[in-house]
């Protein structure tokens, strides 16, 4: 291993260590990444142990068909302000807190606010 490469690895390790000492870095480092677990498995089929394969969603919506789910989601979105509707639609389509330009706390706070608004109506 060359000296330059070793120095680059040390600098990267130092940056990582400094990041973990920050508030956000400590928070994010406290979580174990699913990717780390996936990489340990030789057989990708074994990763199914970490998933319920949609069983939870099936139990929640067992009594609804697709039209009922779509209608309920549309009704809930209609009751929101345009700004909240855009946010909720983005989340329903898989947008993450980073993609929306929010902090994790801000994202969760906004979700809770929208949930409260919907439950009060």
């Amino acid at each position: 291993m060359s000296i330059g490469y070793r120095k680059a690895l040390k600098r990267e390790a130092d940056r990582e260590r400094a990041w973990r000492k920050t508030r956000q870095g400590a928070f994010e480092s406290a979580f174990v990444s699913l990717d780390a677990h996936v990489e340990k498995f030789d057989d990708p089929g074994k990763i199914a142990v970490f998933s319920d394969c949609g069983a939870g969603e099936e139990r929640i919506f067992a009594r609804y068909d697709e039209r009922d789910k779509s209608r309920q989601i549309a009704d809930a979105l209609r009751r929101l302000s345009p700004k909240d509707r855009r946010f909720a639609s983005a989340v329903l389509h898989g947008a993450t807190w980073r993609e929306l330009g929010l902090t994790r706390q801000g994202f969760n706070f906004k979700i809770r606010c929208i949930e409260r608004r919907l439950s009060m109506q």
Side-chain angles (χ1 to χ4, degrees):
M1 183 180 315
S2 72
I3 293 172
Y5 185 68
R6 242 181 284 167
K7 285 182 181 179
L9 286 176
K10 183 179 179 341
R11 282 195 306 267
E12 183 62 31
D14 291 344
R15 277 194 291 272
E16 181 69 28
R17 200 172 306 110
W19 166 246
R20 284 194 309 265
K21 289 182 182 179
T22 66
R23 184 175 175 196
Q24 186 66 34
F27 178 75
E28 288 181 12
S29 298
F31 291 92
V32 177
S33 170
L34 182 59
D35 295 334
H37 291 295
V38 172
E39 290 171 3
K40 291 180 183 178
F41 287 98
D42 295 329
D43 178 13
K46 292 181 182 177
I47 196 62
V49 75
F50 295 111
S51 172
D52 68 354
C53 299
E57 191 257 351
E58 285 179 22
R59 283 195 303 270
I60 291 170
F61 291 108
R63 63 184 185 169
Y64 300 110
D65 63 11
E66 279 302 312
R67 287 178 304 210
D68 288 337
K69 284 193 281 189
S70 298
R71 183 186 48 77
Q72 285 185 332
I73 290 171
D75 288 346
L77 289 174
R78 254 191 301 279
R79 294 185 290 175
L80 296 173
S81 70
K83 185 178 177 182
D84 288 342
R85 190 176 306 131
R86 282 190 302 272
F87 174 79
S89 293
V91 171
L92 287 170
H93 288 96
T96 65
W97 60 275
R98 286 186 177 147
E99 291 168 347
L100 294 171
L102 298 169
T103 63
R104 193 177 298 205
Q105 288 174 322
F107 180 83
N108 291 333
F109 178 76
K110 196 159 177 87
I111 294 278
R112 282 192 303 274
C113 288
I114 290 173
E115 182 183 357
R116 271 189 236 118
R117 286 184 198 122
L118 287 173
S119 66
M120 289 191 298
Q121 293 179 354

